[in-house]
Amino acid sequence: MGKGKAFIGIGMLCAVMTLCAGCGRQEKDDKVESIRIGVTVYDQYDTFVSQLMESFKVYARQKTGETGIAINIDVYNASASQSTQNAQVEEMLEDGCDVICVNLVDRTEPTTIIDMAESKNVPVVFFNRELVAEDLERWNQLYYVGAKALESGIMEGEIAAQAFKEDPSVDKNGDGIFQYVILEGEAGHQDSIVRTEYSVSTITDNGIEVEKLGYAIANWNRAQAQTKTAQMLNEYGKQIELILANNDDMALGAIDALKAAEISPEEWPVVVGIDGTDVGLESVKSGEMAGTVYNDKEGQARGMLDLAYALATDQDTSELNLEDGKYIRLPYQKILSEDVYQYLK
Ligand code: BGC
């Protein structure tokens, strides 16, 4: 096992077994029999990212079935350390990976990875944690797969606005103003920034006045969100009418705090999340979360796999309709309780 390789070397994922044909890029005219994709994720315990990786493996198996080309995938966990992730990429390049997929720990620090990959002429597909456009321009073999961040904030705001308009009891003190707190993901993450801003501005764009009581950074994490929500409940108690969470795990942490405080569900604020993870969908189904916004992990996984496959086999990427020749961005979808069955597995 290599340094930090903490989860699944699904090297034998391949339907077709190969001995060493998978290592190293093959000449165009050779018949490719196998490819090797190296993946490093910022944190294997992140619910959304781990579900995205599950889908990635499913599509890889399907692709092998369709093409007969073995796809070896090595997945590394960077455990929230950029230097660990850099070392993992170095190892993957030494191991002869044909393409590297990187879920950056620090989206402002891609330079070491880009330089190493360029020196070995191995393309890099960044995903979910978006580097700035200038960094993606540094070499012509850099790509990004993610989602249309703006939409998630707008849709979350629309769900909250609809709840306020449809049910007068949501406005607990009857002042016509939506008092809210917000749980934010990691500081500096493109999705935290955009979701925080647009969820709130969309509520006001829908003609509803808002008042921000408090906010907390809970780093996408359920346990941290529970702790931070418990503190805000102590401080603002029943004044809180809405909890906007930048993702489902934090919305669920807020619900854990409401339950731990023994507040009866009729008294709960409206809670809205983003992602539509399995646990998030269950919570919308049970009515605990008012709604969520689907972050299309299957679409992103398929986009990543198709792109990585095309790059590793030297195929033309033009069929993939890349935006600006570099980006794949999947749309979001709103999920209310009546929609949830379409998404539950
Ligand atoms: C997801 C979060 C996840 C984060 C990790 C976001 O797009 O909505 O759930 O924790 O990505 O980078």
Side-chain angles (χ1 to χ4, degrees):
M1 274 256 159
K3 356 175 172 106
K5 188 192 279 188
F7 92 114
I8 348 163
I10 43 167
M12 291 301 116
L13 175 124
C14 32
V16 183
M17 293 270 282
T18 47
L19 289 173
C20 69
C23 306
R25 306 201 81 195
Q26 306 190 8
E27 292 305 316
K28 265 194 180 149
D29 297 339
D30 286 355
K31 167 121 182 51
V32 177
E33 288 175 353
S34 74
I35 58 169
R36 179 166 223 108
I37 304 176
V39 185
T40 161
V41 296
Y42 90 103
D43 174 8
Q44 74 174 85
Y45 299 107
D46 180 290
T47 309
F48 175 78
V49 171
S50 71
Q51 289 193 359
L52 185 135
M53 285 314 302
E54 286 310 311
S55 296
F56 187 72
K57 288 176 236 160
V58 169
Y59 290 127
R61 264 182 235 121
Q62 278 179 13
K63 192 94 176 172
T64 292
E66 288 162 15
T67 60
I69 293 178
I71 303 178
N72 298 284
I73 304 178
D74 295 330
V75 184
Y76 291 73
N77 176 21
S79 303
S81 158
Q82 190 57 61
S83 57
T84 300
Q85 186 164 64
N86 295 348
Q88 290 170 342
V89 171
E90 190 177 9
E91 187 171 328
M92 290 187 255
L93 293 169
E94 277 162 15
D95 286 350
C97 284
D98 301 294
V99 55
I100 310 277
C101 298
V102 180
N103 180 223
L104 278 169
V105 173
D106 181 345
R107 70 188 192 96
T108 67
E109 291 292 339
T111 317
T112 310
I113 290 176
I114 294 173
D115 290 349
M116 287 189 296
E118 186 175 5
S119 73
K120 298 256 180 180
N121 199 27
V122 173
V124 185
V125 178
F126 293 97
F127 66 100
N128 168 259
R129 299 164 71 86
E130 186 168 353
L131 54 174
V132 294
E134 293 72 30
D135 281 330
L136 211 65
E137 292 301 328
R138 289 165 54 99
W139 181 39
N140 64 8
Q141 288 301 309
L142 305 175
Y143 302 86
Y144 178 74
V145 178
K148 301 185 177 179
L150 265 189
E151 287 183 3
S152 55
I154 293 174
M155 290 180 182
E156 184 175 39
E158 286 172 353
I159 294 171
Q162 186 176 338
F164 191 84
K165 285 182 175 167
E166 282 180 357
D167 180 358
S169 73
V170 161
D171 183 14
K172 291 189 203 168
N173 61 1
D175 66 353
I177 301 170
F178 215 176
Q179 273 83 15
Y180 74 96
V181 297
I182 189 155
L183 290 164
E184 299 182 15
E186 291 160 279
H189 190 299
Q190 81 279 348
D191 291 336
S192 314
I193 298 166
V194 164
R195 291 173 186 175
T196 298
E197 180 178 347
Y198 283 86
S199 56
V200 176
S201 65
T202 302
I203 302 175
T204 52
D205 288 350
N206 274 269
I208 298 166
E209 199 179 327
V210 294
E211 180 187 351
K212 182 176 186 173
L213 297 174
Y215 78 98
I217 294 175
N219 297 308
W220 306 119
N221 181 281
R222 182 168 180 161
Q224 289 184 35
Q226 177 174 356
T227 308
K228 300 277 169 75
T229 305
Q231 287 162 1
M232 293 196 283
L233 284 172
N234 277 337
E235 200 168 344
Y236 308 109
K238 289 187 179 163
Q239 291 176 66
I240 304 173
E241 296 170 342
L242 169 66
I243 301 179
L244 289 168
N246 282 173
N247 78 343
D248 283 355
D249 265 14
M250 295 190 293
L252 291 163
I255 290 170
D256 294 337
L258 292 166
K259 289 180 178 167
E262 295 182 356
I263 299 171
S264 72
E266 312 80 67
E267 305 272 293
W268 287 9
V270 172
V271 181
V272 193
I274 293 177
D275 272 344
T277 54
D278 295 346
V279 275
L281 293 174
E282 284 301 331
S283 177
V284 175
K285 183 178 155 200
S286 71
E288 293 187 339
M289 237 198 260
T292 187
V293 180
Y294 202 62
N295 191 356
D296 185 357
K297 53 190 178 305
E298 287 82 14
Q300 291 166 47
R302 189 188 283 273
M304 249 168 86
L305 198 269
D306 287 343
L307 178 57
Y309 179 88
L311 294 167
T313 53
D314 282 327
Q315 280 175 22
D316 186 4
T317 54
S318 62
E319 278 178 21
L320 298 174
N321 291 325
L322 303 181
E323 255 173 63
D324 299 329
K326 286 181 169 283
Y327 291 91
I328 296 179
R329 288 185 199 278
L330 276 293
Y332 284 92
Q333 290 160 57
K334 253 191 276 185
I335 307 182
L336 300 172
S337 60
E338 61 264 30
D339 314 307
V340 82
Y341 289 93
Q342 297 166 38
Y343 293 87
L344 281 165
K345 291 202 181 94

